Amino acid sequence: MGILGILSSCFCIGWIFGILGLVFAIVGKNKAPSQQGLNIAGLVLSIIALAIGLFFLFIGFFSEYDPYYYYMALPFFNLF
């Protein structure tokens, strides 16, 4: 889940996979202590995915994108 969360962070849904990865890593740590290395790797990747996903979600939510300025800057995209 951590790897999937990192890859999908640019689509602003990486935080969902980060939370799921955290839950699965904690549950896996309690159920299978013999696979300690995989659990730690999943936990670290899930934390990274959660941080990156929330960062992109924050940037996307608070950015001031105005398509009018985009079309004025690139005249060959001007549809009006």
Side-chain angles (χ1 to χ4, degrees), residues 2 6 9 17-19 25 30 36 40 43 54 57-58 65 68:
I6 291 172
S9 290
F17 295 116
I19 292 173
N30 294 333
Q36 192 71 15
I40 291 173
L43 186 68
L54 288 176
L57 186 68
F58 178 79
Y65 173 73
Y68 177 74

Side-chain angles (χ1 to χ4, degrees), residues 11-77:
F11 301 114
C12 294
I13 58 171
W15 62 275
I16 297 170
F17 295 116
I19 292 173
L20 287 175
L22 281 173
V23 170
F24 291 151
I26 292 170
V27 169
K29 187 177 182 181
N30 294 333
K31 288 201 175 206
S34 63
Q35 297 179 346
Q36 192 71 15
L38 291 174
N39 293 330
I40 291 173
L43 186 68
V44 169
L45 287 174
S46 297
I47 290 171
I48 292 170
L50 185 62
I52 294 172
L54 288 176
F55 174 74
F56 278 123
L57 186 68
F58 178 79
I59 294 297
F61 188 71
F62 289 109
S63 66
E64 295 182 15
Y65 173 73
D66 191 4
Y68 177 74
Y69 293 114
Y70 178 74
Y71 288 122
M72 292 305 290
L74 300 171
F76 53 89
F77 283 122

